[in-house]
Amino acid sequence: MRSGNPSLKKEAFEKFDHVDTNQTMTIRGTVNKTLILLLLVLATFVYSWNQFVTNPGSVLPLILIGAIGGLIVAIITIFVPKIAPFTAPLYALLEGLFLGAISAQYEAQYGGIVFQAVLLTMGVLFSLLFAYKSGFIKVTQNFRLGVIAATGAIFLVYIVSFVGGFFGFNVPYLHDSSPIGIAISVVIVIVAALNLVLDFDYIENAANNRVPKYFEWYGAFGLLVTLVWLYLEILRLLSKIRSR
């Protein structure tokens, strides 16, 4: 099993042969854990949003804490999946701080954009889940390799853009609202969305492999990572379109 999502790596879902069947991961349990994580994201999202409304200058620390703290917690979770029942909720809380502040800034510039982004993100999630469960989308080896390669290329471009920013270099079209820039964002949104299909496949395979119960939290964490990325990319795409 492979995924473009670095949190859902092959080594994390190796087969477990000696696990009590009453203490193994289930699809329903993973869904429940995912809902819990989304509620935690919403809680700190609302807090961070309100902080921006009352005092816009106070949200920079929240953005830094959410972004840097979330990255550190995510890396720890990836390397130590057993602690996911503790780190996944913490990751959700931190991401909520980050997303709330960023979203409030976008909303102040483009009224209604956050509701549109949330609606589109949930629409993509449930549409792809339906397509996956109905068999409309088959997760073949070539499909996996294509999505993984595209995801890797996107993150490589983002790294180049981030590092280049310190030296006055910008990746052409990546951040502008030109037709090419919008087309690039559309492609990135599509790749992020297709990662959801790989996540569904990974979670289903993990449940079939009878992995330990704590992988419900780990699977939910991996799915949340993709959803956060997808939401941010949709938000950026909408902002480019609205700015024209």
Side-chain angles (χ1 to χ4, degrees):
M1 295 180 294
R2 303 178 67 183
S3 172
N5 186 335
S7 64
L8 299 183
K9 55 186 179 179
K10 176 182 178 181
E11 293 80 2
F13 287 150
E14 290 178 341
K15 186 175 181 62
F16 291 77
D17 295 322
H18 304 291
V19 179
D20 185 350
T21 55
N22 293 323
Q23 296 297 322
T24 56
M25 175 184 179
T26 64
I27 299 295
R28 177 176 295 182
T30 306
V31 170
N32 292 337
K33 303 302 189 298
T34 302
L35 292 176
I36 292 173
L37 294 185
L38 289 175
L39 288 175
L40 292 175
V41 170
L42 179 61
T44 49
F45 182 102
V46 172
Y47 170 78
S48 187
W49 179 291
N50 289 334
Q51 288 296 110
F52 178 85
V53 172
T54 56
N55 184 11
S58 68
V59 298
L60 180 58
L62 297 179
I63 293 176
L64 294 177
I65 292 172
I68 298 175
L71 177 61
I72 293 173
V73 172
I75 292 174
I76 293 173
T77 307
I78 291 170
F79 283 100
V80 192
K82 286 186 177 181
I83 63 174
F86 307 100
T87 55
L90 178 58
Y91 172 79
L93 292 171
L94 290 168
E95 285 303 302
L97 290 177
F98 171 71
L99 293 177
I102 292 295
S103 298
Q105 292 178 343
Y106 274 100
E107 184 70 17
Q109 190 170 1
Y110 309 105
I113 192 173
V114 171
F115 177 74
Q116 294 171 348
V118 171
L119 201 62
L120 284 172
T121 302
M122 292 298 102
V124 170
L125 171 65
F126 290 115
S127 296
L128 288 178
L129 179 59
F130 174 78
Y132 173 75
K133 297 301 291 183
S134 301
F136 294 147
I137 298 179
K138 302 289 186 182
V139 183
T140 64
Q141 185 66 7
N142 288 335
F143 179 89
R144 289 192 185 95
L145 292 175
V147 175
I148 292 170
T151 303
I154 290 169
F155 278 100
L156 179 61
V157 170
Y158 276 153
I159 291 174
V160 171
S161 176
F162 177 76
V163 175
F166 292 103
F167 302 96
F169 169 76
N170 293 315
V171 177
Y173 306 112
L174 184 62
H175 301 295
D176 63 43
S177 57
S178 67
I180 296 178
I182 291 175
I184 290 173
S185 284
V186 169
V187 171
I188 294 175
V189 167
I190 292 173
V191 173
L194 291 178
N195 269 274
L196 287 174
V197 179
L198 296 189
D199 294 348
F200 299 151
D201 185 62
Y202 251 71
I203 291 170
E204 186 174 56
N205 283 322
N208 292 336
N209 282 340
R210 297 169 56 197
V211 298
K213 194 73 172 175
Y214 63 80
F215 272 97
E216 292 178 352
W217 284 105
Y218 189 77
F221 157 75
L223 187 58
L224 181 61
V225 169
T226 303
L227 285 173
V228 167
W229 179 34
L230 177 62
Y231 168 76
L232 288 173
E233 294 299 345
I234 290 177
L235 198 59
R236 291 183 70 245
L237 172 60
L238 291 175
S239 70
K240 288 183 178 182
I241 296 173
R242 293 278 294 274
S243 68
R244 290 182 62 81

